PDB file of all heavy atoms in Angstrom:
ATOM      1  N   ASP A  11     108.941 103.713 112.064  1.00 89.00           N
ATOM      2  CA  ASP A  11     110.085 102.823 111.944  1.00 89.00           C
ATOM      3  C   ASP A  11     109.640 101.354 111.906  1.00 89.00           C
ATOM      4  O   ASP A  11     110.140 100.562 111.099  1.00 89.00           O
ATOM      5  CB  ASP A  11     111.084 103.028 113.087  1.00 89.00           C
ATOM      6  CG  ASP A  11     111.816 104.344 112.996  1.00 89.00           C
ATOM      7  OD1 ASP A  11     111.824 104.980 111.932  1.00 89.00           O
ATOM      8  OD2 ASP A  11     112.419 104.741 114.000  1.00 89.00           O
ATOM      9  N   LEU A  12     108.700 101.011 112.773  1.00 88.00           N
ATOM     10  CA  LEU A  12     108.195  99.643 112.804  1.00 88.00           C
ATOM     11  C   LEU A  12     107.445  99.295 111.520  1.00 88.00           C
ATOM     12  O   LEU A  12     107.612  98.222 110.951  1.00 88.00           O
ATOM     13  CB  LEU A  12     107.274  99.440 114.008  1.00 88.00           C
ATOM     14  CG  LEU A  12     106.674  98.036 114.206  1.00 88.00           C
ATOM     15  CD1 LEU A  12     107.784  96.992 114.261  1.00 88.00           C
ATOM     16  CD2 LEU A  12     105.781  97.996 115.419  1.00 88.00           C
ATOM     17  N   LYS A  13     106.647 100.239 111.023  1.00 89.00           N
ATOM     18  CA  LYS A  13     105.931 100.008 109.768  1.00 89.00           C
ATOM     19  C   LYS A  13     106.934  99.809 108.621  1.00 89.00           C
ATOM     20  O   LYS A  13     106.776  98.894 107.823  1.00 89.00           O
ATOM     21  CB  LYS A  13     105.006 101.178 109.430  1.00 89.00           C
ATOM     22  CG  LYS A  13     104.213 100.933 108.175  1.00 89.00           C
ATOM     23  CD  LYS A  13     103.294 102.015 107.812  1.00 89.00           C
ATOM     24  CE  LYS A  13     102.501 101.815 106.586  1.00 89.00           C
ATOM     25  NZ  LYS A  13     103.009 100.953 105.545  1.00 89.00           N
ATOM     26  N   SER A  14     107.947 100.590 108.593  1.00 91.00           N
ATOM     27  CA  SER A  14     108.984 100.485 107.563  1.00 91.00           C
ATOM     28  C   SER A  14     109.683  99.124 107.651  1.00 91.00           C
ATOM     29  O   SER A  14     109.923  98.449 106.635  1.00 91.00           O
ATOM     30  CB  SER A  14     109.998 101.599 107.696  1.00 91.00           C
ATOM     31  OG  SER A  14     111.038 101.437 106.758  1.00 91.00           O
ATOM     32  N   ALA A  15     110.007  98.662 108.837  1.00 91.00           N
ATOM     33  CA  ALA A  15     110.652  97.366 109.038  1.00 91.00           C
ATOM     34  C   ALA A  15     109.681  96.241 108.602  1.00 91.00           C
ATOM     35  O   ALA A  15     110.109  95.286 107.953  1.00 91.00           O
ATOM     36  CB  ALA A  15     111.058  97.201 110.512  1.00 91.00           C
ATOM     37  N   CYS A  16     108.410  96.358 108.950  1.00 93.00           N
ATOM     38  CA  CYS A  16     107.419  95.339 108.578  1.00 93.00           C
ATOM     39  C   CYS A  16     107.211  95.296 107.070  1.00 93.00           C
ATOM     40  O   CYS A  16     106.962  94.224 106.515  1.00 93.00           O
ATOM     41  CB  CYS A  16     106.116  95.582 109.316  1.00 93.00           C
ATOM     42  SG  CYS A  16     106.174  95.186 111.045  1.00 93.00           S
ATOM     43  N   ASP A  17     107.330  96.434 106.428  1.00 93.00           N
ATOM     44  CA  ASP A  17     107.164  96.494 104.969  1.00 93.00           C
ATOM     45  C   ASP A  17     108.220  95.664 104.266  1.00 93.00           C
ATOM     46  O   ASP A  17     108.011  95.241 103.117  1.00 93.00           O
ATOM     47  CB  ASP A  17     107.188  97.927 104.452  1.00 93.00           C
ATOM     48  CG  ASP A  17     105.915  98.702 104.764  1.00 93.00           C
ATOM     49  OD1 ASP A  17     104.878  98.068 105.094  1.00 93.00           O
ATOM     50  OD2 ASP A  17     105.941  99.941 104.678  1.00 93.00           O
ATOM     51  N   LYS A  18     109.347  95.422 104.908  1.00 94.00           N
ATOM     52  CA  LYS A  18     110.455  94.666 104.308  1.00 94.00           C
ATOM     53  C   LYS A  18     110.237  93.149 104.438  1.00 94.00           C
ATOM     54  O   LYS A  18     110.968  92.379 103.825  1.00 94.00           O
ATOM     55  CB  LYS A  18     111.767  95.033 104.956  1.00 94.00           C
ATOM     56  CG  LYS A  18     112.151  96.490 104.708  1.00 94.00           C
ATOM     57  CD  LYS A  18     113.392  96.884 105.453  1.00 94.00           C
ATOM     58  CE  LYS A  18     113.685  98.348 105.301  1.00 94.00           C
ATOM     59  NZ  LYS A  18     114.778  98.786 106.165  1.00 94.00           N
ATOM     60  N   LEU A  19     109.244  92.738 105.220  1.00 95.00           N
ATOM     61  CA  LEU A  19     108.961  91.309 105.385  1.00 95.00           C
ATOM     62  C   LEU A  19     108.255  90.782 104.140  1.00 95.00           C
ATOM     63  O   LEU A  19     107.508  91.509 103.487  1.00 95.00           O
ATOM     64  CB  LEU A  19     108.079  91.074 106.641  1.00 95.00           C
ATOM     65  CG  LEU A  19     108.646  91.501 107.980  1.00 95.00           C
ATOM     66  CD1 LEU A  19     107.584  91.277 109.056  1.00 95.00           C
ATOM     67  CD2 LEU A  19     109.920  90.759 108.306  1.00 95.00           C
ATOM     68  N   ASN A  20     108.448  89.504 103.864  1.00 96.00           N
ATOM     69  CA  ASN A  20     107.717  88.897 102.765  1.00 96.00           C
ATOM     70  C   ASN A  20     106.272  88.562 103.192  1.00 96.00           C
ATOM     71  O   ASN A  20     105.986  88.714 104.396  1.00 96.00           O
ATOM     72  CB  ASN A  20     108.454  87.677 102.185  1.00 96.00           C
ATOM     73  CG  ASN A  20     108.562  86.519 103.158  1.00 96.00           C
ATOM     74  OD1 ASN A  20     107.622  86.210 103.868  1.00 96.00           O
ATOM     75  ND2 ASN A  20     109.728  85.899 103.206  1.00 96.00           N
ATOM     76  N   SER A  21     105.437  88.181 102.290  1.00 96.00           N
ATOM     77  CA  SER A  21     104.023  87.977 102.627  1.00 96.00           C
ATOM     78  C   SER A  21     103.802  86.884 103.671  1.00 96.00           C
ATOM     79  O   SER A  21     102.935  86.998 104.519  1.00 96.00           O
ATOM     80  CB  SER A  21     103.195  87.679 101.351  1.00 96.00           C
ATOM     81  OG  SER A  21     103.676  86.530 100.719  1.00 96.00           O
ATOM     82  N   TYR A  22     104.613  85.828 103.639  1.00 96.00           N
ATOM     83  CA  TYR A  22     104.514  84.748 104.618  1.00 96.00           C
ATOM     84  C   TYR A  22     104.854  85.268 106.011  1.00 96.00           C
ATOM     85  O   TYR A  22     104.141  85.025 106.987  1.00 96.00           O
ATOM     86  CB  TYR A  22     105.469  83.591 104.246  1.00 96.00           C
ATOM     87  CG  TYR A  22     105.605  82.543 105.289  1.00 96.00           C
ATOM     88  CD1 TYR A  22     104.596  81.587 105.466  1.00 96.00           C
ATOM     89  CD2 TYR A  22     106.703  82.483 106.132  1.00 96.00           C
ATOM     90  CE1 TYR A  22     104.717  80.611 106.442  1.00 96.00           C
ATOM     91  CE2 TYR A  22     106.821  81.519 107.094  1.00 96.00           C
ATOM     92  CZ  TYR A  22     105.837  80.585 107.257  1.00 96.00           C
ATOM     93  OH  TYR A  22     105.962  79.618 108.216  1.00 96.00           O
ATOM     94  N   GLU A  23     105.940  86.044 106.107  1.00 96.00           N
ATOM     95  CA  GLU A  23     106.350  86.601 107.413  1.00 96.00           C
ATOM     96  C   GLU A  23     105.316  87.575 107.913  1.00 96.00           C
ATOM     97  O   GLU A  23     104.977  87.545 109.114  1.00 96.00           O
ATOM     98  CB  GLU A  23     107.699  87.310 107.251  1.00 96.00           C
ATOM     99  CG  GLU A  23     108.861  86.351 106.945  1.00 96.00           C
ATOM    100  CD  GLU A  23     110.130  87.086 106.523  1.00 96.00           C
ATOM    101  OE1 GLU A  23     110.040  88.174 105.900  1.00 96.00           O
ATOM    102  OE2 GLU A  23     111.203  86.532 106.773  1.00 96.00           O
ATOM    103  N   LYS A  24     104.802  88.420 107.030  1.00 96.00           N
ATOM    104  CA  LYS A  24     103.733  89.364 107.441  1.00 96.00           C
ATOM    105  C   LYS A  24     102.504  88.616 107.954  1.00 96.00           C
ATOM    106  O   LYS A  24     101.917  89.013 108.942  1.00 96.00           O
ATOM    107  CB  LYS A  24     103.358  90.265 106.281  1.00 96.00           C
ATOM    108  CG  LYS A  24     104.371  91.304 105.944  1.00 96.00           C
ATOM    109  CD  LYS A  24     103.929  92.114 104.729  1.00 96.00           C
ATOM    110  CE  LYS A  24     105.000  93.086 104.301  1.00 96.00           C
ATOM    111  NZ  LYS A  24     104.628  93.822 103.085  1.00 96.00           N
ATOM    112  N   SER A  25     102.130  87.563 107.253  1.00 95.00           N
ATOM    113  CA  SER A  25     100.962  86.776 107.649  1.00 95.00           C
ATOM    114  C   SER A  25     101.144  86.176 109.027  1.00 95.00           C
ATOM    115  O   SER A  25     100.257  86.239 109.903  1.00 95.00           O
ATOM    116  CB  SER A  25     100.704  85.680 106.626  1.00 95.00           C
ATOM    117  OG  SER A  25      99.643  84.864 107.052  1.00 95.00           O
ATOM    118  N   LEU A  26     102.316  85.612 109.265  1.00 96.00           N
ATOM    119  CA  LEU A  26     102.585  84.999 110.581  1.00 96.00           C
ATOM    120  C   LEU A  26     102.536  86.047 111.698  1.00 96.00           C
ATOM    121  O   LEU A  26     101.852  85.847 112.696  1.00 96.00           O
ATOM    122  CB  LEU A  26     103.958  84.272 110.546  1.00 96.00           C
ATOM    123  CG  LEU A  26     104.217  83.334 111.717  1.00 96.00           C
ATOM    124  CD1 LEU A  26     105.032  82.167 111.257  1.00 96.00           C
ATOM    125  CD2 LEU A  26     104.915  84.043 112.858  1.00 96.00           C
ATOM    126  N   ILE A  27     103.214  87.164 111.493  1.00 95.00           N
ATOM    127  CA  ILE A  27     103.232  88.206 112.505  1.00 95.00           C
ATOM    128  C   ILE A  27     101.852  88.831 112.704  1.00 95.00           C
ATOM    129  O   ILE A  27     101.421  89.103 113.829  1.00 95.00           O
ATOM    130  CB  ILE A  27     104.285  89.293 112.163  1.00 95.00           C
ATOM    131  CG1 ILE A  27     105.723  88.700 112.205  1.00 95.00           C
ATOM    132  CG2 ILE A  27     104.173  90.514 113.024  1.00 95.00           C
ATOM    133  CD1 ILE A  27     106.120  88.165 113.581  1.00 95.00           C
ATOM    134  N   ASN A  28     101.129  89.027 111.609  1.00 95.00           N
ATOM    135  CA  ASN A  28      99.761  89.556 111.687  1.00 95.00           C
ATOM    136  C   ASN A  28      98.864  88.641 112.526  1.00 95.00           C
ATOM    137  O   ASN A  28      98.152  89.092 113.403  1.00 95.00           O
ATOM    138  CB  ASN A  28      99.197  89.751 110.284  1.00 95.00           C
ATOM    139  CG  ASN A  28      97.821  90.356 110.323  1.00 95.00           C
ATOM    140  OD1 ASN A  28      97.628  91.452 110.838  1.00 95.00           O
ATOM    141  ND2 ASN A  28      96.855  89.619 109.801  1.00 95.00           N
ATOM    142  N   ASN A  29      98.951  87.361 112.249  1.00 96.00           N
ATOM    143  CA  ASN A  29      98.143  86.405 112.987  1.00 96.00           C
ATOM    144  C   ASN A  29      98.499  86.367 114.486  1.00 96.00           C
ATOM    145  O   ASN A  29      97.628  86.337 115.348  1.00 96.00           O
ATOM    146  CB  ASN A  29      98.286  84.996 112.394  1.00 96.00           C
ATOM    147  CG  ASN A  29      97.362  84.776 111.241  1.00 96.00           C
ATOM    148  OD1 ASN A  29      96.182  84.568 111.389  1.00 96.00           O
ATOM    149  ND2 ASN A  29      97.918  84.810 110.027  1.00 96.00           N
ATOM    150  N   ARG A  30      99.792  86.364 114.767  1.00 96.00           N
ATOM    151  CA  ARG A  30     100.243  86.266 116.156  1.00 96.00           C
ATOM    152  C   ARG A  30      99.936  87.540 116.963  1.00 96.00           C
ATOM    153  O   ARG A  30      99.446  87.453 118.094  1.00 96.00           O
ATOM    154  CB  ARG A  30     101.759  86.023 116.220  1.00 96.00           C
ATOM    155  CG  ARG A  30     102.125  84.589 115.994  1.00 96.00           C
ATOM    156  CD  ARG A  30     101.791  83.690 117.174  1.00 96.00           C
ATOM    157  NE  ARG A  30     102.697  83.926 118.282  1.00 96.00           N
ATOM    158  CZ  ARG A  30     102.312  83.897 119.544  1.00 96.00           C
ATOM    159  NH1 ARG A  30     101.067  83.648 119.887  1.00 96.00           N
ATOM    160  NH2 ARG A  30     103.192  84.091 120.510  1.00 96.00           N
ATOM    161  N   TYR A  31     100.225  88.706 116.392  1.00 94.00           N
ATOM    162  CA  TYR A  31     100.191  89.926 117.196  1.00 94.00           C
ATOM    163  C   TYR A  31      98.972  90.816 116.925  1.00 94.00           C
ATOM    164  O   TYR A  31      98.469  91.410 117.841  1.00 94.00           O
ATOM    165  CB  TYR A  31     101.503  90.690 117.039  1.00 94.00           C
ATOM    166  CG  TYR A  31     102.662  89.898 117.593  1.00 94.00           C
ATOM    167  CD1 TYR A  31     103.439  89.122 116.768  1.00 94.00           C
ATOM    168  CD2 TYR A  31     102.888  89.880 118.955  1.00 94.00           C
ATOM    169  CE1 TYR A  31     104.478  88.350 117.293  1.00 94.00           C
ATOM    170  CE2 TYR A  31     103.912  89.120 119.498  1.00 94.00           C
ATOM    171  CZ  TYR A  31     104.718  88.367 118.663  1.00 94.00           C
ATOM    172  OH  TYR A  31     105.691  87.594 119.198  1.00 94.00           O
ATOM    173  N   TYR A  32      98.545  90.889 115.686  1.00 93.00           N
ATOM    174  CA  TYR A  32      97.360  91.734 115.415  1.00 93.00           C
ATOM    175  C   TYR A  32      96.086  90.967 115.709  1.00 93.00           C
ATOM    176  O   TYR A  32      95.182  91.506 116.330  1.00 93.00           O
ATOM    177  CB  TYR A  32      97.399  92.202 113.951  1.00 93.00           C
ATOM    178  CG  TYR A  32      96.259  93.134 113.618  1.00 93.00           C
ATOM    179  CD1 TYR A  32      96.196  94.416 114.109  1.00 93.00           C
ATOM    180  CD2 TYR A  32      95.211  92.677 112.803  1.00 93.00           C
ATOM    181  CE1 TYR A  32      95.117  95.235 113.798  1.00 93.00           C
ATOM    182  CE2 TYR A  32      94.140  93.511 112.491  1.00 93.00           C
ATOM    183  CZ  TYR A  32      94.123  94.787 112.996  1.00 93.00           C
ATOM    184  OH  TYR A  32      93.059  95.611 112.692  1.00 93.00           O
ATOM    185  N   LEU A  33      96.021  89.724 115.270  1.00 96.00           N
ATOM    186  CA  LEU A  33      94.821  88.935 115.526  1.00 96.00           C
ATOM    187  C   LEU A  33      94.900  88.155 116.839  1.00 96.00           C
ATOM    188  O   LEU A  33      93.947  87.493 117.235  1.00 96.00           O
ATOM    189  CB  LEU A  33      94.588  87.951 114.369  1.00 96.00           C
ATOM    190  CG  LEU A  33      94.387  88.614 113.004  1.00 96.00           C
ATOM    191  CD1 LEU A  33      94.251  87.540 111.914  1.00 96.00           C
ATOM    192  CD2 LEU A  33      93.177  89.511 113.007  1.00 96.00           C
ATOM    193  N   ASP A  34      96.059  88.274 117.524  1.00 97.00           N
ATOM    194  CA  ASP A  34      96.251  87.731 118.863  1.00 97.00           C
ATOM    195  C   ASP A  34      95.993  86.179 118.936  1.00 97.00           C
ATOM    196  O   ASP A  34      95.387  85.702 119.871  1.00 97.00           O
ATOM    197  CB  ASP A  34      95.388  88.455 119.889  1.00 97.00           C
ATOM    198  CG  ASP A  34      95.876  88.247 121.315  1.00 97.00           C
ATOM    199  OD1 ASP A  34      97.073  88.048 121.517  1.00 97.00           O
ATOM    200  OD2 ASP A  34      95.024  88.274 122.246  1.00 97.00           O
ATOM    201  N   LYS A  35      96.465  85.492 117.917  1.00 97.00           N
ATOM    202  CA  LYS A  35      96.295  84.027 117.896  1.00 97.00           C
ATOM    203  C   LYS A  35      97.469  83.358 118.579  1.00 97.00           C
ATOM    204  O   LYS A  35      98.568  83.909 118.620  1.00 97.00           O
ATOM    205  CB  LYS A  35      96.221  83.527 116.450  1.00 97.00           C
ATOM    206  CG  LYS A  35      94.990  83.921 115.716  1.00 97.00           C
ATOM    207  CD  LYS A  35      94.948  83.276 114.339  1.00 97.00           C
ATOM    208  CE  LYS A  35      93.686  83.658 113.562  1.00 97.00           C
ATOM    209  NZ  LYS A  35      93.664  82.996 112.255  1.00 97.00           N
ATOM    210  N   THR A  36      97.199  82.177 119.115  1.00 97.00           N
ATOM    211  CA  THR A  36      98.270  81.388 119.712  1.00 97.00           C
ATOM    212  C   THR A  36      99.137  80.814 118.603  1.00 97.00           C
ATOM    213  O   THR A  36      98.717  80.760 117.436  1.00 97.00           O
ATOM    214  CB  THR A  36      97.715  80.234 120.570  1.00 97.00           C
ATOM    215  OG1 THR A  36      97.017  79.331 119.693  1.00 97.00           O
ATOM    216  CG2 THR A  36      96.777  80.744 121.674  1.00 97.00           C
ATOM    217  N   GLN A  37     100.297  80.311 118.971  1.00 97.00           N
ATOM    218  CA  GLN A  37     101.147  79.657 117.985  1.00 97.00           C
ATOM    219  C   GLN A  37     100.420  78.465 117.376  1.00 97.00           C
ATOM    220  O   GLN A  37     100.532  78.219 116.160  1.00 97.00           O
ATOM    221  CB  GLN A  37     102.467  79.232 118.588  1.00 97.00           C
ATOM    222  CG  GLN A  37     103.408  80.384 118.894  1.00 97.00           C
ATOM    223  CD  GLN A  37     104.730  79.946 119.440  1.00 97.00           C
ATOM    224  OE1 GLN A  37     104.911  78.789 119.855  1.00 97.00           O
ATOM    225  NE2 GLN A  37     105.694  80.861 119.472  1.00 97.00           N
TER     226      GLN A  37
END
Side-chain angles (χ1 to χ4, degrees):
D11 289 345
L12 181 56
K13 182 180 180 334
S14 177
C16 287
D17 286 344
K18 296 175 186 173
L19 299 176
N20 65 43
S21 60
Y22 171 78
E23 293 168 330
K24 287 178 186 176
S25 176
L26 193 146
I27 294 300
N28 182 60
N29 276 284
R30 279 288 286 143
Y31 295 97
Y32 182 71
L33 300 177
D34 199 30
K35 292 185 179 181
T36 65
Q37 288 182 347

